[in-house]
Amino acid sequence: MYQRALSETREQFGSEHPSTLSLLELRKQVLGNDHPDTLISMNNLAAGYAHIGRLQDALKLDKQVLELRKQVLGGDHTYTLMSMNNLACDYSDLCQHQDALKLDEQVLELLKRLLGDDHPYTMISMSQHQDALKLNEEALELRRRVLGNNHPDTLISMGNLACDYSNLGQHHNALKLHEQVLELMERVLGKDHPDTLMSMSRLADALKLYEEVLELKRRVLGNEHPDTLECMNNLAYNYSNLGQHQDALTLDEKVLEWRMRVLGNEHPDTLECMNNLACYFTDLSQHHDALTLDKKVLELRKRVLGDDHPDTLMSMNNLACDYSDLSQHHDALKLHEEVLELRKRVLGNDHPDTLSSMDHLARECVNLGRHQDALKLDEEVLELRRKILGNDHPDTIYSSKWIFDHNIRETIPCPLIHSRYDPCLAFI
């Protein structure tokens, strides 16, 4: 109706008559291109484009409005934030979801800083992130089912979901998921792959937020509160994942000191902390310190949990790895044999920890020159992993590599390739 009336008026008075000019054109002529009221008209026109499906026109105009509002009003002005939100909506309408998510994150951060968490606009923005969280959870579930857990697209969905957790203040969930993504990407894509490096960057950002959470818990709850100690433990774990092993060690030593005082030497959380500390010693090549501590943890876990408990078996495995790190390969072999026998009986032949023990035992056979024994174990592990995990799983590929090495080197001793491999660090 409006367009028809405007057309008739132009025919009657001419295109230059004020009556025939649109509000946007009038404001440009009278007020100038950069006037706030002109920008409001541009914003409204972009909304009209979006409403009738001219999405590219809406995107182009909203970009202009945002740039002009940043110049005229500043980056923190309410109207500038509105333009950022509108542009995010344009990206979403055009299925450019990564661009939309990135812009939404900026808007939410600015709204929290300028208006506070409880302001209605902030809460609306957070609700949009709740919707994004739900969509990303559905996308992740679908990709896991169709593509598998280790497909690069599945890992991207996991990373997006972790970002959603972070935006909604669920820092523990975000940190835990970012850590899982980084570990998988390093195994599937390699440490130097661009997506792996992005994952490391995201984990570092999440870590900064988690440091703020820890500082808040210390101030509100105190250093020795269980929630504070759990937060410190998780932070140390992620320092280690980012290669900040000394930071991890220093923080975990404090956690251990406080847990021993609050919970006692034999509490499971204290023993877990001691176990983690031994791992950090290993990361720093302080193998004698790791050995001493792992012996203590094993002794305590046998007394508290029993000889057959999975955590006790993990400690036996870690101690065997310490022996190997110190080139005490006969001691390492003997202990890995004990662990394997116990894990077969307690966990079953097909359990991942059992297969991990077979891996460790094969490596010690290689270190001692028993290459045929190692080959036999590696072939058995490869067959089981193909059956249980599939041919494309990183652990299966890892086993295939060892078979390949055996075939091309036969009796030539392999270099010592050793790591604990067991999940000796865990969120408590």
Side-chain angles (χ1 to χ4, degrees):
M1 178 73 76
Y2 168 76
Q3 291 294 336
R4 180 181 174 185
L6 182 60
S7 177
E8 291 175 353
T9 305
R10 278 179 175 156
E11 288 179 6
Q12 184 176 356
F13 297 103
S15 60
E16 299 301 322
H17 193 278
S19 301
T20 66
L21 295 176
S22 69
L23 183 57
L24 174 57
E25 291 168 328
L26 276 172
R27 283 179 166 169
K28 282 183 176 180
Q29 284 188 8
V30 176
L31 303 175
N33 291 341
D34 297 346
H35 193 279
D37 288 350
T38 305
L39 300 182
I40 289 175
S41 289
M42 292 175 68
N43 178 85
N44 294 343
L45 180 59
Y49 283 148
H51 182 69
I52 62 174
R54 292 172 58 179
L55 302 180
Q56 289 292 346
D57 292 330
L59 178 69
K60 183 178 179 180
L61 194 54
D62 274 327
K63 282 182 178 179
Q64 294 177 25
V65 176
L66 175 58
E67 191 61 35
L68 287 167
R69 279 180 166 166
K70 282 182 176 179
Q71 294 175 15
V72 175
L73 304 174
D76 294 347
H77 194 278
T78 306
Y79 282 176
T80 305
L81 298 186
M82 183 189 299
S83 285
M84 292 174 69
N85 179 78
N86 293 346
L87 187 57
C89 291
D90 294 333
Y91 282 133
S92 183
D93 289 338
L94 289 164
C95 296
Q96 299 177 27
H97 299 301
Q98 288 301 318
D99 294 325
L101 181 62
K102 184 177 180 180
L103 209 49
D104 276 332
E105 288 170 354
Q106 295 175 26
V107 172
L108 180 57
E109 182 181 348
L110 286 167
L111 287 172
K112 283 181 175 179
R113 178 164 59 83
L114 297 173
L115 304 178
D117 290 352
D118 298 333
H119 192 279
Y121 288 166
T122 308
M123 296 176 73
I124 289 171
S125 183
M126 289 183 70
S127 71
Q128 291 172 343
H129 280 281
Q130 287 282 10
D131 294 338
L133 176 69
K134 184 178 179 181
L135 284 172
N136 275 328
E137 285 175 337
E138 292 175 0
L140 175 57
E141 185 61 33
L142 183 62
R143 281 178 167 171
R144 277 176 169 163
R145 190 168 67 246
V146 176
L147 303 174
N149 290 331
N150 299 308
H151 193 280
D153 289 349
T154 305
L155 301 183
I156 289 172
S157 284
M158 290 177 69
N160 293 342
L161 184 59
C163 290
D164 291 334
Y165 283 138
S166 184
N167 290 327
L168 291 168
Q170 300 178 28
H171 301 302
H172 179 79
N173 291 336
L175 201 59
K176 188 174 181 180
L177 195 54
H178 276 309
E179 184 275 326
Q180 292 175 16
V181 173
L182 178 58
E183 180 183 353
L184 285 168
M185 281 190 168
E186 285 182 344
R187 289 165 61 187
V188 175
L189 303 176
K191 291 187 177 182
D192 297 333
H193 192 279
D195 289 346
T196 305
L197 298 178
M198 179 184 292
S199 183
M200 291 181 69
S201 176
R202 284 178 166 180
L203 180 57
D205 291 339
L207 205 61
K208 291 176 184 176
L209 290 172
Y210 209 72
E211 287 171 338
E212 295 175 12
V213 172
L214 173 58
E215 216 35 59
L216 182 62
K217 285 188 175 182
R218 277 176 163 166
R219 191 166 66 246
V220 175
L221 303 175
N223 286 331
E224 297 183 0
H225 191 279
D227 288 351
T228 306
L229 296 178
E230 179 185 355
C231 189
M232 291 175 69
N233 179 78
N234 295 340
L235 187 57
Y237 176 49
N238 283 278
Y239 279 148
S240 179
N241 285 330
L242 288 171
Q244 300 171 219
H245 302 304
Q246 188 59 55
D247 292 331
L249 180 71
T250 301
L251 191 57
D252 202 58
E253 284 176 333
K254 293 179 183 177
V255 178
L256 178 59
E257 178 188 345
W258 285 325
R259 278 185 168 163
M260 289 176 74
R261 185 163 64 243
V262 175
L263 303 174
N265 292 351
E266 298 185 357
H267 191 280
D269 288 353
T270 305
L271 298 181
E272 182 67 38
C273 192
M274 292 172 69
N275 178 82
N276 293 350
L277 188 60
C279 290
Y280 302 143
F281 280 135
T282 297
D283 291 333
L284 291 165
S285 298
Q286 298 175 217
H287 300 304
H288 285 287
D289 293 325
L291 178 71
T292 301
L293 197 52
D294 275 328
K295 282 182 177 179
K296 186 175 181 180
V297 175
L298 177 58
E299 179 186 346
L300 287 168
R301 279 180 164 167
K302 281 184 174 180
R303 185 163 70 242
V304 175
L305 303 174
D307 291 351
D308 295 345
H309 192 280
D311 288 350
T312 305
L313 301 183
M314 181 193 295
S315 288
M316 291 178 68
N317 175 84
N318 293 346
L319 184 58
C321 290
D322 294 331
Y323 284 135
S324 186
D325 287 332
L326 292 165
S327 298
Q328 300 177 28
H329 299 302
H330 287 287
D331 293 328
L333 181 73
K334 182 179 178 182
L335 198 49
H336 276 311
E337 286 175 336
E338 291 181 33
V339 176
L340 177 57
E341 191 60 36
L342 285 167
R343 280 178 164 169
K344 283 182 175 179
R345 179 163 56 80
V346 175
L347 304 174
N349 292 342
D350 297 346
H351 192 278
D353 289 352
T354 305
L355 301 182
S356 171
S357 283
M358 294 174 70
D359 256 335
H360 284 306
L361 189 56
R363 302 290 69 74
E364 290 309 321
C365 286
V366 170
N367 291 330
L368 291 167
R370 295 166 49 180
H371 301 289
Q372 288 304 313
D373 292 333
L375 177 60
K376 183 178 178 182
L377 280 167
D378 281 330
E379 287 174 340
E380 188 177 349
V381 172
L382 177 59
E383 183 181 349
L384 286 167
R385 282 179 168 162
R386 279 175 172 166
K387 183 176 70 175
I388 298 166
L389 304 173
N391 291 330
D392 297 331
H393 192 277
D395 290 350
T396 308
I397 296 170
Y398 171 86
S399 291
S400 298
K401 175 188 176 299
W402 279 112
I403 301 294
F404 177 76
D405 287 345
H406 281 298
N407 288 336
I408 64 171
R409 286 192 268 185
E410 291 189 18
T411 60
I412 300 175
C414 297
L416 176 61
I417 298 177
H418 164 74
S419 69
R420 291 174 176 248
Y421 194 76
D422 279 287
C424 57
L425 300 176
F427 283 91
I428 298 173

